[in-house]
Amino acid sequence: MTLSSREVDLFEGSRGRLEAIAYRLLGSAADAEDAVQDTFLRWQAADREHIETPEAWLTKVLTNLCLNQLTSARSRRETYVGQWLPEPVLAGDRMLGPAETAEQREQVSIAVLTLMERLSANERAVYVLREAFGYPHGEIAQILDVTETNCQQIYRRAKQHLGTDRTRVEIDAAAAGKIVEEFLAAARSGDTEPLVRLLTDDAVNVADGGGQVPARGTPIIGALAVARFLRGVFTLTDAKRALYRSLVGGDFAVYAAVVNGGPAALVVTVDRVVGVMSLDVTSGGVAAIHVQVNPDKLDRITRQWVASERGEPLGID
């Protein structure tokens, strides 16, 4: 069925919200875009005259498409090479959705998106719609075809499984830059002690190469173990610089950025982001380092980066 200009405008006015919901549900900007496009096709084919509340209808269709993707994604995760991490997104991207409060920014952090892999598909949907977008339980229940009481129970279970209650650290671009610089300076000091002081005792380092780029297949746990590993990565010899250049296809620079609401170091070649190291900063120190080097998950952030004001690279050579 042909869409009127009003119906096209109505969908386009909802696109940003739909993308943000889908990204938080799927942890992938590329998959979120596909889900929103599939929602548009169903909107186009629907008997729209009988849709009383288009926004609610679009949210329900999108959520169910994402639930189907989450179910199939679990089987794909079982065959994924190495550790799976969500796709990083640069600050300012509408894919991140509402970010007015510290709680909203926390919900789209790499750390929380990674933790959400623990949840069932329904738990994830209820948690995202309630926590990040403020949908009342009654509306979420209608979207998922469950009772409101069941919806409330699912929400409580999701919060218990995530256990994300912690003191949040507010970070703007300037603070992020200082944190990244201090962290890299400690990593390059040649001594583990400066890094250990910045890390929490139970800090973890996780890397996602997707089987395409060399990355450690298991997490590194504990401040001392993480510090020793990072010291080895960032202590640059001529041989190591040559190896890194061969891996990324030439010269590279490192920039500080805000990614998914937190400080991050971006490794950038002439025209592409080839690595993102996100720091999960808590009141007790850096609790996790998430390293994304899977090229399939760096397309969107590369497009963002090319179009952004880059600032000055960090001197790490």
Side-chain angles (χ1 to χ4, degrees):
M1 297 175 65
T2 303
L3 292 170
S4 68
S5 59
R6 184 187 67 83
E7 290 167 334
V8 171
D9 290 343
L10 191 152
F11 184 87
E12 290 303 322
S14 299
R15 183 182 289 274
R17 177 178 57 85
L18 296 175
E19 285 183 350
I21 292 172
Y23 173 67
R24 290 172 188 245
L25 287 175
L26 301 173
S28 165
D31 288 346
E33 288 178 331
D34 290 343
V36 172
Q37 185 58 30
D38 286 346
T39 302
F40 175 77
L41 295 176
R42 283 161 174 74
W43 172 244
Q44 189 175 36
D47 185 359
R48 296 177 298 279
E49 290 184 0
H50 293 89
I51 297 175
E52 294 183 4
T53 313
E55 287 193 359
W57 186 92
L58 291 171
T59 302
K60 182 179 179 69
V61 169
L62 173 84
T63 301
N64 283 297
L65 286 169
C66 289
L67 290 177
N68 290 336
Q69 283 202 46
L70 284 171
T71 301
S72 62
R74 294 202 178 277
S75 61
R76 293 200 304 272
R77 298 279 196 275
E78 293 174 0
T79 59
Y80 193 84
V81 179
Q83 299 294 307
W84 182 93
L85 289 175
E87 182 177 345
V89 179
L90 204 60
D93 192 315
R94 71 180 184 185
M95 192 72 71
L96 294 174
E100 288 78 25
T101 68
E103 288 79 7
Q104 288 172 331
R105 291 188 288 276
E106 174 80 0
Q107 299 316 310
V108 80
S109 69
I110 295 293
V112 171
L113 290 176
T114 302
L115 282 175
M116 281 204 283
E117 288 294 298
R118 300 177 181 179
L119 305 182
S120 69
N122 269 9
E123 286 173 341
R124 191 161 182 164
V126 171
Y127 184 79
V128 166
L129 291 172
R130 177 66 179 167
E131 194 79 4
F133 294 89
Y135 280 79
H137 284 294
E139 287 187 29
I140 301 173
Q142 291 178 356
I143 290 170
L144 299 179
D145 293 322
V146 298
T147 66
E148 185 170 348
T149 299
N150 192 15
C151 181
Q152 292 169 338
Q153 292 171 341
I154 292 171
Y155 176 65
R156 283 194 295 270
R157 285 202 305 269
K159 293 198 74 173
Q160 290 170 356
H161 290 161
L162 289 178
T164 55
D165 293 335
R166 70 184 196 186
T167 303
R168 295 177 174 88
V169 178
E170 286 292 286
I171 296 170
D172 58 18
K178 291 178 181 177
I179 290 170
V180 171
E181 284 192 69
E182 181 181 6
F183 192 83
L184 293 180
R188 294 188 60 245
S189 69
D191 187 5
T192 58
E193 184 58 31
L195 262 179
V196 169
R197 288 199 298 267
L198 295 178
L199 298 166
T200 61
D201 291 342
D202 58 351
V204 60
N205 184 94
V206 184
D208 178 353
Q212 301 189 60
V213 174
R216 187 183 173 98
T218 56
I220 303 167
I221 301 172
L224 184 57
V226 170
R228 286 172 173 167
F229 175 76
L230 292 176
R231 181 188 62 185
V233 170
F234 286 98
T235 302
L236 297 179
T237 62
D238 289 342
K240 198 171 291 183
R241 288 190 185 93
L243 172 62
Y244 290 165
R245 289 189 181 107
S246 70
L247 289 174
V248 302
D251 291 332
F252 62 91
V254 178
Y255 292 81
V258 178
V259 171
N260 289 76
L266 271 57
V267 182
V268 184
T269 59
V270 174
D271 57 356
R272 184 167 180 80
V273 175
V274 294
V276 178
M277 184 179 76
S278 301
L279 305 179
D280 180 27
V281 181
T282 70
S283 58
V286 176
I289 301 100
H290 297 104
V291 181
Q292 184 58 262
V293 289
N294 182 346
D296 291 343
K297 298 182 182 181
L298 297 173
D299 284 340
R300 186 180 184 92
I301 200 168
T302 291
R303 295 196 301 271
Q304 292 176 289
W305 178 253
V306 169
S308 70
E309 294 184 9
R310 308 182 184 189
E312 294 297 321
L314 303 176
I316 67 165
D317 283 338

